[in-house]
Amino acid sequence: DRGTFKSVDDPICDYLPDWEAGCQNNITLKDLLTMSAGLFRKGPRGILSKTDMDAYALQIEPDTVPGIKFSYSNESVHLLGMAIEAATGKSAQDVFQEVLFTPLGMDSTHLVTDDAGNYVTYGGAQTTVRDAAAVGQLLLNKGTWSGKRIVSEDWINASIQPGTYAPYYGYLWWLDTRSEHPNVA
């Protein structure tokens, strides 16, 4: 929405040229957003156990070619966070604070860091129930908060579309496809 990225189809190499495997495999932002980058979840042996998550992420080799199957990985989201930092020249905390936390009045939310001081974007943010509910309300309001547009309705709609390889997953959202009111956002 802010023009930081041209498109979800941008190659990750445009933002993280030091991730050689990502460049060689033509992994796109969309591959990372939809968990189809070819990175299998490594669980406790993966990024969760690393003291320098950025350094680890830049050494990750895909387990398969991108764009052929869904496989959830924290590494994918961490690489997206690194791309946000590279594209904006700001820390992930500053970007999230500017574009999400402050506009939504999320004054009790912040990202955590790894032992090397890198911001963790795949999880672990410290927040409150009230602050987390603000994100849900933003989705229900199709990207508006207190009458102000925070995220475009087009992005909200695109992010909750079922993925090609996982009908229960959008752009970093698990989708409810079984309830009476699926994807009410």
Side-chain angles (χ1 to χ4, degrees), residues 11 14 28 32 45 50-51 63 115 122 149 161 173 183:
D14 288 357
T28 66
L32 295 169
R45 294 181 320 275
K50 306 307 175 196
T51 57
D63 298 289
D115 291 342
Y122 62 82
R149 174 71 50 201
Q161 291 305 306
W173 291 112
N183 303 328

Side-chain angles (χ1 to χ4, degrees), residues 27-54:
I27 293 174
T28 66
L29 296 173
K30 188 173 184 177
D31 292 330
L32 295 169
L33 285 166
T34 60
M35 299 293 167
S36 61
L39 304 175
F40 295 161
R41 187 175 191 133
K42 311 244 185 309
R45 294 181 320 275
I47 202 164
L48 295 170
S49 65
K50 306 307 175 196
T51 57
D52 187 338
M53 294 179 188
D54 285 8

Side-chain angles (χ1 to χ4, degrees), residues 2 6 20 22 30-31 36 44 75 123 142 166 168 176:
R2 290 167 178 74
K6 296 179 289 270
E20 293 177 16
K30 188 173 184 177
D31 292 330
S36 61
E75 289 80 0
K142 298 287 189 179
Y168 45 83
D176 176 4

Side-chain angles (χ1 to χ4, degrees), residues 15 24 37-38 97 103:
Y15 307 99
Q24 292 166 352
Q97 190 70 47

Side-chain angles (χ1 to χ4, degrees), residues 2-182:
R2 290 167 178 74
T4 302
F5 302 104
K6 296 179 289 270
S7 165
V8 294
D9 296 315
D10 288 354
I12 190 65
C13 199
D14 288 357
Y15 307 99
L16 298 177
D18 291 342
W19 185 31
E20 293 177 16
C23 295
Q24 292 166 352
N25 287 282
N26 299 313
I27 293 174
T28 66
L29 296 173
K30 188 173 184 177
D31 292 330
L32 295 169
L33 285 166
T34 60
M35 299 293 167
S36 61
L39 304 175
F40 295 161
R41 187 175 191 133
K42 311 244 185 309
R45 294 181 320 275
I47 202 164
L48 295 170
S49 65
K50 306 307 175 196
T51 57
D52 187 338
M53 294 179 188
D54 285 8
Y56 171 76
L58 291 175
Q59 299 305 311
I60 295 171
E61 294 284 336
D63 298 289
T64 188
V65 296
I68 63 167
K69 68 184 269 183
F70 174 87
S71 182
Y72 186 88
S73 76
N74 291 330
E75 289 80 0
S76 290
V77 186
H78 194 77
L79 286 159
L80 284 168
M82 292 173 63
I84 289 168
E85 290 183 333
T88 62
K90 299 177 183 177
S91 72
Q93 174 64 38
D94 288 347
V95 173
F96 279 57
Q97 190 70 47
E98 178 184 320
V99 302
L100 190 65
F101 301 160
T102 297
L104 296 182
M106 297 171 68
D107 57 6
S108 297
T109 301
H110 66 276
L111 302 179
V112 297
T113 58
D114 66 12
D115 291 342
N118 302 306
Y119 283 101
V120 177
T121 55
Y122 62 82
Q126 293 183 342
T127 191
T128 63
V129 171
R130 180 178 296 248
D131 281 5
V135 175
Q137 192 63 54
L138 178 71
L139 288 168
L140 286 171
N141 292 343
K142 298 287 189 179
T144 62
W145 179 260
S146 298
K148 183 179 176 193
R149 174 71 50 201
I150 307 299
V151 180
S152 75
E153 187 170 348
D154 287 344
W155 179 260
I156 298 293
N157 290 334
S159 72
I160 61 170
Q161 291 305 306
T164 303
Y165 307 105
Y168 45 83
Y169 200 79
Y171 292 171
L172 304 182
W173 291 112
W174 293 100
L175 305 176
D176 176 4
T177 58
R178 296 182 182 174
S179 79
E180 183 180 336
H181 306 287

